[in-house]
Every structure is written in C-alpha cells, then in structure tokens.
Amino acid sequence: MRSNFILTFAWFYGYSNIRRAPIYILAYLSLPLSLLFFIYVISKGELLAYGIVGGLLSVIVSNSISLIGDFAFLRLQLRLQDLLVSTEIGPMDYILGLTLGNFIYTLPGIVIYILLGIIFHVFSTIQLLIILGISAVLLISTTSLSITLASLIRHTRHSWGLSTFLSLIFTILPPLYYPYSILPKDVLYLLLLSPSTPASMIVQGILNLQNTDQISIVAFILESIVLISLPRYAMRWRE
C-alpha cells in the first residue's frame, strides 16, 4: 500500500476541489438544506430530526454517487488509470485515494449537519459516534458502488446521467427524510436495495425515532460487504 500516493491523491481529489471551487460545497448542500427547510415548515418542527439525520446521510451518499462521473472522466478522458497501471501504484491505492478524497470533499457538509444536530439536540455524544460509524461504512460502500459502475461505463457522457439518476433513487425516495414505518412493507423491502435505506432505518432506531428493525441491520451488513468487494472484480487494472 502506497500511503504517500493515497494521501497525495486524496489531497488532489478532495481538498484541492474545495479550495479551487468552494461553491460546490453550497451546490451539494443546497438540496438537503432546502428539504430541511420545507420539512421544518410543513411539519412545524416535528420532523426536524428526520431532516437533519436524513441530510447527513444524503450528503454522504450523493457525493459518493457523483464519483461515477469523476471516475469515468479520469479514466476515459484523462487516461489517468492507464498512467497509473504502468507504475507501482495498485488498484487498492487508487480506490483508497478516491475514497479518502471523497471524504475530505464531503467533510464540510458532515460538519454542518453535526452542528445542526447539536444545536437542536437531535443526538447525544454516544449516538453521534454510532451514527458516524454507520456513515463511514455507508461512504465506503457507496463509493465502491460508484467505482464499480464507472468501471463498466464506456462513454463519459453516460456517467453524468447515471449519477444524477442514482442520486435521486438513493437519497430522495428512501426513508431518509421521513419515518420508514409509513411505507408499505413491499415498498420498504424494495427500497432496502439502496444501502441508504437500511442505514437510515438503523439511525432512526438509534435516535429512538422509530423501533429498530433487525432486517435493516442484516441488510446493511450484507450490502456493505458485497458493495465494498465489488471494485476488485469490476475494475480493470492493466495496460
């Protein structure tokens, strides 16, 4: 494992993007913060906790899904992957660099939602630590899914549409901003295919907003294992 490359690439992909174009932070925060505002107004504050934890998970998932476009652009247009395979850099170094860079890029949004949760007394310190642990697994698994899908794309133009579509499927439809218990069982089980659904169900249980559903824990563990293992099979690392 080349730690110097991983840290340098994370700096390039994560921090440099924030420094060169901080407006993108406002861009990815605009939708979840707008939804938080409408949820607060419509529910008169009763669903505020859902809006905050939903926004936290949404920021993580949507930024991970947007990696599809960046990964495809780096591979197909800049030919960065072709350059790296001729060096001692391995595929795991590249994946870890992308994942860490994505985390750095997402970090300002995570900090804002943590501050909102503290200000509005949504979670305790222990609950926050557990939620951050779940969020870390969710970030790694959805980033792995994006790398896998981007590895299969043959034209960059397809990546932008796919990432936009999946971001909607993974952040708006699943019960991130509302109680999962209001969904019919059939619909809930279908939405469990999105990793953000079991993650949100677990978080809602941790915060005592809903009862903890054991199915969500099993689904989250199994999906995380499968998604994290996918890139090593889908990613073609050769000259």
Side-chain angles (χ1 to χ4, degrees), residues 26-45:
L26 294 177
Y28 75 65
L29 282 173
S30 59
L31 178 59
L33 287 178
S34 298
L35 289 174
L36 176 62
F37 172 75
F38 285 114
I39 289 171
Y40 179 81
V41 171
I42 294 173
S43 71
K44 298 180 180 179

Side-chain angles (χ1 to χ4, degrees), residues 16 28 30-31 42 53 103 132 141 146 174 189 209 232:
S16 63
Y28 75 65
S30 59
L31 178 59
I42 294 173
V53 294
F103 169 72
L132 289 178
S141 63
S146 294
Y189 291 152
L209 299 173
R232 66 178 62 185

Side-chain angles (χ1 to χ4, degrees), residues 60 64 99-100 102-103 106 110 134-144:
I60 292 170
S64 297
T99 304
L100 184 57
N102 185 36
F103 169 72
T106 309
I110 296 175
I134 294 171
S135 300
V137 176
L138 184 63
L139 182 140
I140 295 172
S141 63
T142 49
T143 299
S144 299

